[in-house]
Amino acid sequence: MDAYRTTGSDRGAGTADERAGGSAPVTGRVRAVRLLPTAAALTAVLAVLLVCGTRPEDVARYAGYALWSVLLPGTLVFRALRRRPHTLVEDLALGAVTGLVLELAAWGVVVRLGLQSLAVLWPLAVVLPFALVPGLRRHWRPRGYTRPPLSWSWTVAGLVALTAVYFGEVFLARFPILPTGEPSRVYGDLPYMISLAGNAKYQMPPTFPQAAGEPLHYHWFTFAHMAMSSVVGGIDLPVVAMRLMVPTLSVLTVLTLVAAAHRLSGRLWAGPLAVALFMGVGEFTAAYPNFIDSWLFGAPAVGLLSWASLSLAYSQPLLIALAAAVGEVLRGYGADSDRRAVPPLGRGVLVLVGLFAVASSAAKASTLPVTLGGLAVAGLALAVTTRRIPRAVLATGAILVGAQLFATALVFDFQSYGLQLGLFGNVRKYWADTRPGPAPVRAAVALATLAAFALNHQLRLLGAVPLLWRRRMRLEPVQWFLLGAALAGPAAYLLIGGFNASYFTIASAPFAALLSAWGWCELAERAALPRRAVAALVAGAVLAGAVLTWLIHGFSDRWAEFSVRLLGGDAGSRAHWPLLPMLAAALVVAAAAVLGLLLWRGAGRVRPALRGTGGVVLITGLCAVGLPALPLDVLQGREYGWDFAWALSGRQIEAARWVRSHSRPADVLATNSHCWQFDDHAYGPECDNHRSQWLSAYSERSVLVEGWAYAPRLVARSGGGVVAREPFWDQRLFGLNEDAVYRPTAELIERLRQEHRVRFLVVDRKAGAESPRLREFAEPVFDNGRVAAYRLP
């Protein structure tokens, strides 16, 4: 089907000027028509932000920051590194990602030298050379872009709008920017992430803000980006975290994926399809509601789709851009003529690989290992088929390994953050109680568990099956790369123990979507589907997803009971029962697929036009089984809320922000608030959840001892889990901190000030009322009834 290829026929779908490839004069009317999809997408994003309580001036400030500090310098540098223009979307998407990398370097210089007040000027280091050097001026207005048809532009605009609406529903509309009630609720990890960004505004490298001076061996590049958003844009950090950052980076993820799919596959429509597979086809499950405790195989890509983990939101466009750059190196050694219409990036591609790899290395620790796995598979395939590995591929591997070593040594300090080898450690629990049973039963349960894992997480990879089948496993090097990376993440999850290993699976999702979209397009080309048939196929998939959403939402409990009766087996072996609704549903889907294929084959005898189209219909139908994940996530947010949303008092926020306004960035705070309870009750000595982070988050100051559950040193010792109950590692310091609140003396207060640079002591009276004698040694400067602040002399 020619509509899926990047050839002259792509332009045939557009206007007369589009068919001319840009050579014909462009009238104002035609230009306005071309801008409509972009305007509609931006309007949708803006509407979501405004409806969810974002102030227009904050939106304007953030837009100015993004254009000046990210898009402009990044696009200029990207244009200088690539050889020839391809599409404007590619220039802007990969240019924006390049800008994120440049921003990291600028942050390091600005914060290290204490030049935050001049941070807004850093893009001049890029803009001035491109304005003054004659050889660089041409990159301001490049010519020769390939213009996509309007139908493609509207499709991408629709995907951008749907992405914004989704995040508006599940995130922006669910949590306030600043809690004001008694109590309001906020997702439990967001204050921690805000506190890291607040620390990154003044510390390079950042430190652990809940224990002043404690090193932060963690992937903290995300929080440097948030810090620059706040400093350059003049925007309050909670506004960046709770409103602006997630939808903006998600839109960038969509556009980067579109550009990467087009470049690597040579098929224009592979881009929107890859976005649909990546964002729309989620985990296959027959359970509703699906709370954190019932997640079957770690963090699902939908349940954590870039808002509960801000580092995931930041890392995704960087990872996809890295995949595009590495794939560009590899596609030069393939023979697929379908990609000849996409001009090569040129020699600058290795520079882009280096930029994206270094930024990805500590944006999310799971991304580079997955990319390296894919490159290793591609290198092995080249070695087998050509008996050599080209120098460019070896150089690419060296760059990726170097970036990984950089992060491992300089950012993570050789800490594994609790990850450790353990074959099937994350899934063994499902067959743990079958050990006394017969060996065939144990084997069957183990195989069923692995099948459930594949079904749960890998539906979006189904489009790669016809690609592998048609080519008889003789793939292009770039296809081996995508397949290797798509499988490396799930393999790491099965090989490495700990909940955080699930992020390897999530990191593989973009690679799976890219390869699957490529395979679907080849299948559609072979079937020669007309456009109306494609539209009907898409509508049918959406309808099937809607019906499945209704069934799961309304009947999941009864289905679970039926599944246990059907497949439960021995009543004494129950560990695998949570998998049974999914496996029973898979049997129904498989039976329906077989019946559908038989009926389709019979219909093909009556209507010859249907012959050869059964494969693409089958793959589309099976992928549609994963479509309910997104709407169910929206429904669960409306009906239940996020089950990790904790109470946070508006009076706590008021006190923290008062301290921020009346202190210096280098000042250290002390507090008696160390725990965080779901219901905001007085905890006293029975505290067992040392996750208090509100003071460091909303004051943007380091705290001597606040909540230490996420301290890297503790998480590393616990195998990657949260250490919510373990006591603070320095009991002498902890005792000094507590005595200053409950048993103060002049000597204690002086020690806090001289030895630990404490300037304010903040008391949360829900944790315990301060001693009346405290005002003898420190000046009371704030009190709203619940929280009081004292300034040390």
Side-chain angles (χ1 to χ4, degrees):
M1 184 178 177
D2 288 341
Y4 295 98
R5 300 175 184 266
T6 299
T7 64
S9 63
D10 282 336
R11 298 184 181 120
T15 64
D17 292 311
E18 289 172 330
R19 291 193 296 272
S23 58
V26 179
T27 65
R29 182 178 178 181
V30 170
R31 187 179 291 109
V33 170
R34 288 181 190 157
L35 290 176
L36 280 177
T38 302
L42 291 176
T43 301
V45 176
L46 177 62
V48 168
L49 291 173
L50 295 179
V51 167
C52 294
T54 315
R55 297 188 309 170
E57 52 266 40
D58 285 331
V59 177
R61 285 176 175 272
Y62 192 78
Y65 149 77
L67 291 171
W68 168 248
S69 193
V70 177
L71 187 61
L72 177 60
T75 302
L76 290 174
V77 170
F78 175 73
R79 286 172 175 172
L81 290 173
R82 61 110 170 97
R83 179 183 299 170
R84 288 167 50 198
H86 179 213
T87 65
L88 180 60
V89 169
E90 179 180 84
D91 264 16
L92 295 180
L94 296 184
V97 178
T98 305
L100 292 178
V101 182
L102 300 177
E103 180 188 58
L104 280 175
W107 166 83
V109 173
V110 164
V111 176
R112 193 70 174 181
L113 299 179
L115 300 176
Q116 287 88 338
S117 61
L118 301 178
V120 70
L121 300 178
W122 83 260
L124 292 176
V126 175
V127 171
L128 289 178
F130 278 83
L132 299 176
V133 178
L136 296 176
R137 289 177 188 165
R138 61 188 177 88
H139 297 300
W140 286 93
R141 296 191 65 182
R143 299 179 181 274
Y145 285 130
T146 298
R147 299 191 192 113
L150 277 176
S151 56
W152 180 92
S153 300
W154 278 111
T155 301
V156 174
L159 291 170
V160 167
L162 285 174
T163 301
V165 170
Y166 167 76
F167 284 112
E169 280 289 329
V170 300
F171 175 42
L172 306 183
R174 298 285 162 249
F175 302 110
I177 296 174
L178 288 173
T180 56
E182 291 295 325
S184 295
R185 289 196 171 270
V186 67
Y187 170 62
D189 285 355
L190 285 171
Y192 175 62
M193 290 182 264
I194 294 173
S195 76
L196 296 182
N199 186 273
K201 289 173 71 171
Y202 309 106
Q203 297 280 341
M204 191 283 173
T207 57
F208 183 65
Q210 287 78 40
E214 177 75 2
L216 184 67
H217 305 308
Y218 187 64
H219 43 240
W220 46 257
F221 282 7
T222 305
F223 310 107
H225 163 68
M226 294 172 65
M228 287 293 278
S229 304
S230 177
V231 171
V232 175
I235 309 167
D236 204 5
L237 259 182
V239 178
V240 173
M242 304 299 293
R243 290 296 181 269
L244 299 169
M245 173 182 170
V246 169
T248 302
L249 287 178
S250 298
V251 168
L252 180 57
T253 296
V254 168
L255 298 179
T256 308
L257 194 58
V258 164
H262 190 184
R263 170 159 292 280
L264 297 184
S265 72
R267 289 157 173 83
L268 183 67
W269 285 94
L273 182 58
V275 173
L277 289 168
F278 177 59
M279 295 269 190
V281 178
E283 283 67 37
F284 173 53
T285 177
Y288 180 85
N290 192 18
F291 294 122
I292 291 176
D293 290 340
S294 60
W295 287 347
L296 297 174
F297 300 105
V302 167
L304 279 179
L305 195 59
S306 305
W307 69 265
S309 173
L310 296 183
S311 57
L312 185 60
Y314 177 74
S315 68
Q316 283 176 336
L318 288 167
L319 174 62
I320 296 167
L322 177 61
V326 174
E328 173 68 18
V329 174
L330 292 167
R331 83 181 184 104
Y333 301 100
D336 193 343
S337 61
D338 291 336
R339 299 191 305 285
R340 292 178 183 172
V342 179
L345 286 175
R347 294 180 180 178
V349 66
L350 288 180
V351 178
L352 290 172
V353 170
L355 291 174
F356 300 149
V358 170
S360 295
S361 67
K364 196 73 175 175
S366 53
T367 57
L368 269 193
V370 167
T371 310
L372 275 165
L375 184 62
V377 171
L380 179 62
L382 278 169
V384 170
T385 56
T386 67
R387 297 184 180 180
R388 69 185 185 91
I389 301 179
R391 290 181 180 179
V393 177
L394 291 173
T396 301
I399 292 171
L400 295 183
V401 170
Q404 183 64 63
L405 290 175
F406 157 78
T408 302
L410 299 182
V411 180
F412 306 140
D413 193 33
F414 299 101
Q415 300 293 321
S416 65
Y417 217 61
L419 295 177
Q420 46 192 296
L421 294 178
L423 184 61
F424 301 134
N426 291 315
V427 299
R428 194 183 296 120
K429 61 184 179 182
Y430 292 117
W431 64 73
D433 63 354
T434 62
R435 290 177 182 174
V441 173
R442 297 199 305 271
V445 174
L447 290 175
T449 299
L450 297 179
F453 172 65
L455 287 169
N456 185 239
H457 273 284
Q458 299 304 311
L459 276 179
R460 60 173 62 87
L461 189 55
L462 282 174
V465 174
L467 190 69
L468 297 170
W469 180 266
R470 182 186 175 192
R471 295 182 181 237
R472 301 295 189 267
M473 297 298 293
R474 292 189 290 270
L475 301 180
E476 300 289 327
V478 65
Q479 293 170 333
W480 280 118
F481 165 64
L482 295 175
L483 179 62
L487 298 179
Y493 179 77
L494 296 176
L495 182 64
I496 299 173
F499 174 84
N500 287 331
S502 57
Y503 285 99
F504 288 109
T505 308
I506 295 175
S508 285
F511 299 91
L514 287 167
L515 185 65
S516 191
W518 192 340
W520 192 94
C521 285
E522 282 202 3
L523 197 61
E525 291 165 11
R526 190 177 183 184
L529 291 179
R531 292 187 178 183
R532 289 184 179 180
V534 173
L537 194 58
V538 172
V542 173
L543 178 61
V547 171
L548 287 172
T549 300
W550 175 72
L551 289 172
I552 296 172
H553 181 260
F555 304 99
S556 58
D557 289 343
R558 276 176 274 183
W559 180 256
E561 295 174 1
F562 169 77
S563 302
V564 170
R565 289 197 303 269
L566 179 68
L567 303 174
D570 182 7
S573 300
R574 301 188 178 188
H576 64 285
W577 282 15
L579 305 177
L580 298 183
M582 181 204 311
L583 292 171
L587 292 176
V588 173
V589 171
V594 171
L595 178 61
L597 278 178
L598 293 176
L599 293 175
W600 196 270
R601 181 171 294 182
R605 296 174 181 174
V606 179
R607 297 195 62 179
L610 296 179
R611 295 175 185 172
T613 62
V616 68
V617 174
L618 175 63
I619 294 296
T620 304
L622 291 177
C623 286
V625 175
L627 290 178
L630 277 181
L632 288 175
D633 198 37
V634 173
L635 289 171
Q636 185 169 321
R638 288 181 176 179
E639 296 175 358
Y640 296 95
W642 187 258
D643 61 326
F644 205 53
W646 291 354
L648 186 59
S649 167
R651 287 186 289 175
Q652 290 174 303
I653 305 303
E654 179 190 16
R657 288 169 70 82
W658 186 95
V659 171
R660 185 191 66 174
S661 299
H662 294 82
S663 63
R664 296 170 299 178
D667 290 346
V668 175
L669 313 181
T671 185
N672 66 331
S673 178
H674 311 299
C675 275
W676 200 357
Q677 297 296 328
F678 287 100
D679 297 319
D680 195 37
H681 58 76
Y683 45 78
E686 298 180 358
C687 165
D688 61 354
N689 185 17
H690 298 117
R691 281 193 259 204
S692 178
Q693 300 133 357
W694 63 270
L695 181 57
S696 53
Y698 295 98
S699 69
E700 299 180 13
R701 303 291 181 259
S702 291
V703 182
L704 185 65
V705 181
E706 193 182 7
W708 54 88
Y710 292 158
R713 68 161 74 194
L714 296 182
V715 174
R717 287 209 310 261
S718 69
V722 176
V723 187
R725 300 185 179 184
E726 187 168 326
F728 188 66
W729 56 84
D730 187 342
Q731 283 297 296
R732 184 197 64 80
L733 180 60
F734 182 74
L736 172 65
N737 183 89
E738 299 301 282
D739 287 343
V741 176
Y742 303 118
R743 294 166 291 276
T745 65
E747 180 186 359
L748 284 176
I749 298 300
E750 184 63 16
R751 285 182 61 191
L752 284 181
R753 194 178 71 85
Q754 291 292 343
E755 297 178 17
H756 302 287
R757 296 184 293 112
V758 173
R759 292 296 178 267
F760 287 86
L761 202 158
V762 181
V763 180
D764 185 349
R765 290 175 178 142
K766 277 269 184 127
E770 71 274 26
S771 167
R773 295 197 63 193
L774 181 57
R775 63 179 56 244
E776 298 177 17
F777 314 112
E779 177 190 2
V781 290
F782 177 88
D783 194 332
N784 62 13
R786 169 169 178 160
V787 183
Y790 294 81
R791 181 185 286 115
L792 275 60

